[in-house]
Amino acid sequence: DYPPQVNADLKGAVNDVRLMHGSLSTTHGLKLDPLPGEGGPCEAGGKHSIALFNACATRAAILDRFDRLVRASAPGDMLIFYFAGHGARSARSDGTQASGRHSTLLAADSRKPLPGGGVVDDIQDTLLKARIDEATAHGVQVLTIFDSCNSGTATRSAEVATRFVESAPAGDPVDPDGWKPRTPPRGVAYAPRIHLAAARDGEDAKEAITPDGRHGRFTKALVEV
């Protein structure tokens, strides 16, 4: 569920989270905390995994829970970050990206007005990169899986009418949450990172109606494979 400022709710994203959770726990045998049933809490887990749905998947919560899991990880661990939702591109261009603009993920409160003025920014790729860099510097391998668009035409609709998501606000290149990386320990080698994505920058990710409900085509295909 997205705020009125985005005006582009998705029908399959929550289904995708449940499908991916089931695949990781059942097919691959990972020890994950259970998910709530329909109509249950919008946040679950905390010991082995954390899931955020709809209103709980705010920008602050996503970044905080990611930080929490990074700090709970030890060298040799793998941290999986799965996101199903809208993606966009930032209006800010600072010359550091090959595509010319930064990619963003839309949280449940992205674009909502702030009491003191301005709006809640999308989650910019630079913020995630800093956190992933810290994890890999501590020997923690990070696997990111994004079923989202990475462009201004961010839509996951399989219907004729697409839902256009405007570019993200310019944002602040400095992390507004005051997050600072820790110093890597001595003798720990950098771990590799792996990223799986539904679309390149400038491409759309689609949803489709399947026999078991509406799902992102990428997530459905990935789980099946």
Side-chain angles (χ1 to χ4, degrees):
D1 294 333
Y2 280 97
Q5 290 76 18
V6 174
N7 191 29
D9 286 347
L10 293 172
K11 300 177 181 178
V14 172
N15 293 339
D16 290 344
V17 173
R18 295 185 180 280
L19 184 65
M20 181 62 68
H21 184 278
S23 177
L24 292 174
S25 59
T26 303
T27 305
H28 299 286
L30 296 187
K31 190 174 184 179
L32 304 179
D33 294 316
L35 297 181
E38 296 291 339
C42 59
E43 179 171 0
K47 185 175 182 182
H48 303 289
S49 62
I50 297 174
L52 299 170
F53 297 103
N54 295 320
C56 285
T58 63
R59 181 182 188 276
I62 291 172
L63 295 176
D64 174 77
R65 305 308 186 270
F66 187 82
D67 292 346
R68 188 184 303 178
L69 291 175
V70 168
R71 285 166 169 75
S73 301
D77 287 346
M78 173 183 276
L79 177 61
I80 300 174
F81 176 32
Y82 173 78
F83 174 82
H86 279 305
R89 301 172 82 181
S90 173
R92 176 169 57 87
S93 177
D94 56 12
T96 63
Q97 305 295 311
S99 64
R101 292 192 289 171
H102 289 274
S103 299
T104 73
L105 302 180
L106 271 72
D109 58 346
S110 289
R111 322 285 176 89
K112 289 182 70 173
L114 292 167
V119 298
V120 177
D121 197 9
D122 294 2
I123 299 176
Q124 304 231 8
D125 52 11
T126 49
L127 299 189
L128 292 178
K129 181 180 183 301
R131 289 162 164 80
I132 293 170
D133 286 347
E134 182 200 23
T136 59
H138 283 73
V140 177
Q141 185 171 5
V142 177
L143 168 61
T144 48
I145 306 173
F146 294 167
D147 195 344
S148 58
C149 298
N150 287 295
S151 69
T153 52
T155 175
R156 295 173 69 243
S157 172
E159 299 167 352
V160 175
T162 60
R163 286 178 170 177
F164 180 80
V165 175
E166 299 286 349
S167 297
D172 190 335
V174 178
D175 190 337
D177 304 306
W179 182 91
K180 301 296 182 184
R182 299 170 297 170
T183 303
R186 283 187 173 185
V188 174
Y190 279 74
R193 64 158 298 184
I194 300 171
H195 181 57
L196 305 178
R200 293 188 178 95
D201 286 354
E203 291 183 341
D204 292 347
K206 303 291 187 181
E207 282 188 351
I209 299 174
T210 71
D212 60 342
R214 195 176 184 97
H215 288 284
R217 289 178 176 174
F218 172 73
T219 295
K220 186 69 174 174
L222 181 63
V223 167
E224 288 176 353
V225 170

